[in-house]
Amino acid sequence: MLRAIVPPTDCPSCGSALEWLNQLLYCKSTICGAQKQKKIEHFAKTLKIKGLGPAAIEKLGIQDFDEIYTLTLEDISSALSSDKIALKLKGEIDNSKSAPLDLVLPAFGIPLIGKTATKKLSDTVKNINEINADTCERAGLGPKATENLTFWLANEFYSFYDGYLPFDFKFVVTERVEHKGVVCISGRLKSFKTKADATETLSSQGYEVKSSLTKDVTILVNESGVESSKTKQARNSGITIITDLKSYLEN
């Protein structure tokens, strides 16, 4: 006899009531230990702090981002039972203090604020203090991403982290590259793992990337070989169509 599976009602980590969202259960408690653990893991991974994985985070008892930078060599050595490992990890932590906002901002795990959104912001503002609803809009962030970021700034960064983290919160100043055109990507890519990777490369080389075939698009990327409606429209409009983006950029 088959038995119905009864979904849990409470978070196994903190005991808070779970909420349904798009047919999935989520814990939205701000004090959930499991969520904090995952956020710290993401933070360490994004800032490339080698040795600060799940086991080390748990042994060190890290509860928030700022606690990473209050750890002494003695603290780490005692928790991890190794002077050698402690010395190496302390060095990794100290090295991460020089990380620019280009890396630091995505490390906080703010929904919709990843590498792509951060790159757009870096082209518009110089530091975190210049980020607001207006500069987010000028950078091209969508309404939801802007809402998430400005909410985080007001309720977390300025309330808790400003002054307690060692970063200068400035974007890397890069030379402006010549604008080479507007690119639209149709379908799946073969020469890049993801569209996000392709977009990052295109942006670094002076191309603007759009998700739809607007009037200003000059290049359509179609590596799938499928004659999509975008491809037909591009061909009829005289837009350049390329089938291998990586090779195109390398030539």
Side-chain angles (χ1 to χ4, degrees):
M1 176 184 288
L2 295 176
R3 294 184 179 180
I5 297 175
V6 180
T9 57
D10 300 325
C11 173
S13 175
C14 67
S16 300
L18 297 173
E19 297 181 30
W20 285 100
L21 181 62
N22 296 328
Q23 297 185 333
L24 294 174
L25 279 171
Y26 289 90
C27 173
K28 293 189 176 182
S29 171
T30 57
I31 60 171
C32 180
Q35 289 190 63
K36 287 184 177 181
Q37 172 91 3
K38 289 298 181 183
K39 285 184 177 181
I40 295 168
E41 287 177 29
H42 174 74
F43 184 86
K45 184 177 180 180
T46 304
L47 292 185
K48 302 176 182 178
I49 306 176
K50 295 180 181 178
L52 193 58
I57 292 170
E58 186 174 357
K59 289 179 180 179
L60 290 163
I62 301 171
Q63 297 295 314
D64 213 333
F65 308 126
D66 59 312
E67 294 180 13
I68 295 172
Y69 298 98
T70 61
L71 291 169
T72 65
L73 188 60
E74 291 74 20
D75 292 333
I76 302 172
S77 180
S78 176
L80 303 185
S81 303
S82 172
D83 292 342
K84 184 177 180 180
I85 293 176
L87 190 62
K88 188 173 182 180
L89 179 53
K90 187 65 168 65
E92 292 285 336
I93 292 172
D94 289 342
N95 287 339
S96 74
K97 294 178 181 179
S98 62
L101 191 56
D102 308 62
L103 286 177
V104 174
L105 193 58
F108 288 111
I110 308 164
L112 301 181
I113 307 299
K115 290 182 180 179
T116 301
T118 301
K119 177 63 174 64
K120 290 179 179 179
L121 284 167
S122 69
D123 291 335
T124 306
V125 300
K126 296 178 181 178
N127 58 64
I128 200 168
N129 295 319
E130 295 180 5
I131 298 176
N132 53 47
D134 179 59
T135 54
C136 284
E137 183 179 357
R138 286 195 281 115
L141 268 63
K144 190 60 180 177
T146 298
E147 180 185 345
N148 292 344
L149 180 53
T150 52
F151 180 87
W152 177 84
L153 285 169
N155 294 278
E156 292 193 41
F157 179 71
Y158 292 120
S159 298
F160 300 106
Y161 301 125
D162 190 17
Y164 290 93
L165 289 170
F167 315 108
D168 64 9
F169 292 102
K170 294 179 181 179
F171 285 112
V172 173
V173 179
T174 56
E175 294 183 7
R176 301 295 180 185
V177 296
E178 178 186 356
H179 182 70
K180 295 180 179 178
V182 182
V183 178
C184 176
I185 301 173
S186 176
R188 293 184 178 182
L189 293 171
K190 295 179 181 178
S191 60
F192 286 86
K193 288 184 178 180
T194 65
K195 286 186 179 180
D197 290 339
T199 298
E200 186 175 353
T201 301
L202 283 163
S203 298
S204 68
Q205 294 192 24
Y207 293 94
E208 182 181 355
V209 181
K210 293 196 172 180
S211 58
S212 57
L213 197 63
T214 56
K215 292 182 179 180
D216 55 346
V217 169
T218 55
I219 298 171
L220 178 76
V221 179
N222 183 351
E223 296 186 346
S224 67
V226 177
E227 188 75 0
S228 65
S229 58
K230 284 183 180 179
T231 305
K232 292 177 182 177
Q233 184 182 344
R235 184 173 288 106
N236 293 334
S237 302
I239 295 171
T240 300
I241 301 172
I242 59 176
T243 57
D244 189 330
L245 178 58
K246 184 165 286 187
S247 296
Y248 177 84
L249 295 175
E250 290 175 349
N251 293 333

